[in-house]
Amino acid sequence: MKVTPTSNSRISDIDFSNLQFGRIFSDHMLEMTYKDGTWSEPDIKPYGPITVEPSLHALHYGQAIFEGMKAYYAGPGTINLFRLDDHHERLNNSAKRLCMPELSSDNFIRGLEELIKLDHQWVPKTFGHALYLRPFMFASEHYIAAKASSEYKFFIITSPVAAYYSEGFNPVKLTTSEKFVRAVRGGTGEAKAAGNYAGSFLPARDARENGFTQVLWLDALEQKYVEEVGTMNIFFLIDDKLVTPKLAGTVLPGITRRSVTALAKEWGTDVEERRISIDEIFEAHNNGSLKEVFGAGTAAVISPVGLIHHKGETITLNQNEIGPFAKKMFDRLTGIQYGKTEDTFDWTHPVHVGNEITV
Ligand code: COI
């Protein structure tokens, strides 16, 4: 692996007490190139512009995928990465679906470790903040024919972040959409494909203009069953059961989703991964059995949901605060990620960076 450290760090310009999500990027990035059937060695270099031609394949056909991960400050000298193998596996699953080349686990893991070692001072020390890691791959051939590119670029860029939703622990407000759908069986919904997000921006803007935070997506065929929120997976605590839509090709297999189900099972909570209709949720609310609703994602962490709107009807719950189950989940999950509680699942991957973290 080639590593070229910057001679001009920007870290002293950063106001770590005022971080927004995804606005600033740390000093270095990792780059790999796929050409003639093989990936180049990772090249870590100063973060900066890349040169592409207007004929760049990804710009025309959307052959682009990404991952979302975080590096957590776990005390002097230790930065925790989380469920690296799962993120690597999902990246490769997305690559397969989008007809892109897979990446070796060694390059992915060693590349991330080296990047973190170099930019460890960019990992915020405040609990709840983290260094967001954005591995992404795109078709880099300069060729405007609608078939898979034969050349690709893979990058990892990193960004110190605070909470994704400005609401923080204030519950988010969701609405279903009668007009739009996110994914259909056999499509790309379970891949972390850039285009899945592009297609959600118009409905998300409509939702925001009507006072909601995000869209709660329903299945594309019947518009009856809940799927996900696009920025996070969704969980319903009904009586004492935790219910989440099952993965059947249209829902992103969230790593936080998988962690939440594992932690809930560890506590002895019944977890049901199944189809759940929006009508069932409204009924459960009306008969008092819907205790909590929350979203889960790397960026969103555990985000309480305080309102769901569907076809002119609205239910509200946990209006001003996070519910006790979601709070317990947040505490346990972030406890593991930030190295505050025992990682009984072996999910964390510590990167040791010496004791010189001073930011
Ligand atoms: C993540 O949670 O990491 C994602 O990629 C979601 C994105 C909306 C920020």
Side-chain angles (χ1 to χ4, degrees):
M1 174 167 341
K2 190 171 155 213
V3 179
T4 314
T6 182
S7 53
N8 191 17
S9 174
R10 290 172 282 108
I11 195 159
S12 54
D13 303 338
I14 309 304
D15 179 3
F16 276 84
S17 62
N18 193 18
L19 293 173
Q20 288 176 33
F21 194 94
R23 288 270 175 205
I24 50 172
F25 299 95
S26 56
D27 280 332
H28 297 92
M29 62 184 187
L30 176 147
E31 179 177 359
M32 290 172 69
T33 303
Y34 182 88
K35 208 173 171 174
D36 300 327
T38 48
W39 281 108
S40 66
E41 275 291 293
D43 184 6
I44 295 182
K45 52 165 101 171
Y47 176 88
I50 55 171
T51 305
V52 296
E53 292 181 26
S55 56
L56 185 86
H57 188 290
L59 297 178
H60 297 267
Y61 305 110
Q63 215 188 353
I65 56 170
F66 68 95
E67 270 302 304
M69 311 170 66
K70 279 178 177 168
Y72 307 87
Y73 179 76
T78 306
I79 307 295
N80 276 346
L81 299 175
F82 188 68
R83 304 197 71 163
L84 276 187
D85 292 334
D86 298 85
H87 282 285
H88 172 251
E89 185 186 18
R90 190 173 64 181
L91 178 79
N92 278 346
N93 286 339
S94 300
K96 276 185 255 176
R97 178 62 185 85
L98 274 283
C99 200
M100 300 167 92
E102 291 175 52
L103 205 79
S104 79
S105 145
D106 189 49
N107 279 334
F108 185 76
I109 292 174
R110 272 196 320 123
L112 276 166
E113 284 175 342
E114 286 308 314
L115 204 53
I116 296 301
K117 283 183 188 159
L118 206 55
D119 279 342
H120 66 83
Q121 292 197 315
W122 287 81
V123 181
K125 284 173 126 178
T126 307
F127 178 72
H129 295 185
L131 187 69
Y132 188 75
L133 313 173
R134 172 51 62 87
F136 63 103
M137 190 193 295
F138 61 88
S140 58
E141 200 170 354
H142 293 117
Y143 179 43
I144 55 164
K147 63 179 202 144
S149 174
S150 63
E151 293 172 17
Y152 296 87
K153 286 281 187 188
F154 174 72
F155 282 87
I156 305 177
I157 56 174
T158 71
S159 170
V161 296
Y164 185 72
Y165 293 116
S166 52
E167 282 87 345
F169 267 167
N170 289 327
V172 297
K173 299 174 180 168
L174 304 179
T175 180
T176 59
S177 171
E178 289 182 56
K179 190 169 170 194
F180 298 107
V181 297
R182 176 187 172 274
V184 67
R185 192 158 41 82
T188 59
E190 68 181 345
K192 216 159 165 56
N196 292 344
Y197 295 79
S200 73
F201 295 157
L202 175 66
R205 189 181 67 189
D206 287 353
R208 272 197 307 280
E209 283 173 359
N210 287 303
F212 304 106
T213 322
Q214 275 288 344
V215 176
L216 176 61
W217 292 110
L218 300 180
D219 75 280
L221 295 180
E222 297 174 73
Q223 291 208 282
K224 187 170 166 192
Y225 297 99
V226 172
E227 301 220 309
E228 61 161 283
V229 181
T231 48
M232 57 187 189
N233 294 108
I234 189 92
F235 286 87
F236 304 94
L237 189 68
I238 302 179
D239 287 324
D240 50 6
K241 282 196 182 72
L242 190 63
V243 184
T244 193
K246 72 171 180 183
L247 303 177
T250 51
V251 172
L252 187 85
I255 311 294
T256 314
R257 174 188 182 279
R258 202 180 298 172
S259 308
V260 165
T261 55
L263 290 172
K265 285 177 190 163
E266 188 194 38
W267 299 335
T269 307
D270 280 343
V271 178
E272 294 181 354
E273 298 186 41
R274 62 171 171 87
R275 292 184 107 189
I276 178 160
S277 70
I278 188 74
D279 290 344
E280 179 182 341
I281 292 158
F282 274 60
E283 270 161 37
H285 178 264
N286 293 339
N287 70 27
S289 58
L290 182 65
K291 305 291 184 218
E292 290 184 39
V293 182
F294 62 92
T298 298
V301 195
I302 302 294
S303 292
V305 173
L307 181 152
I308 300 176
H309 176 266
H310 173 63
K311 289 191 175 166
E313 281 184 53
T314 299
I315 58 171
T316 57
L317 63 165
N318 292 121
Q319 270 282 275
N320 299 311
E321 54 177 18
I322 186 165
F325 187 92
K327 178 68 170 69
K328 184 174 165 194
M329 188 57 76
F330 176 88
D331 288 344
R332 177 79 172 110
L333 180 68
T334 55
I336 293 174
Q337 291 167 333
Y338 289 84
K340 290 177 189 293
T341 49
E342 199 193 344
D343 176 10
T344 40
F345 294 90
D346 209 12
W347 285 335
T348 48
H349 180 101
V351 178
H352 299 291
V353 294
N355 287 322
E356 70 284 9
I357 300 180
T358 51
V359 174

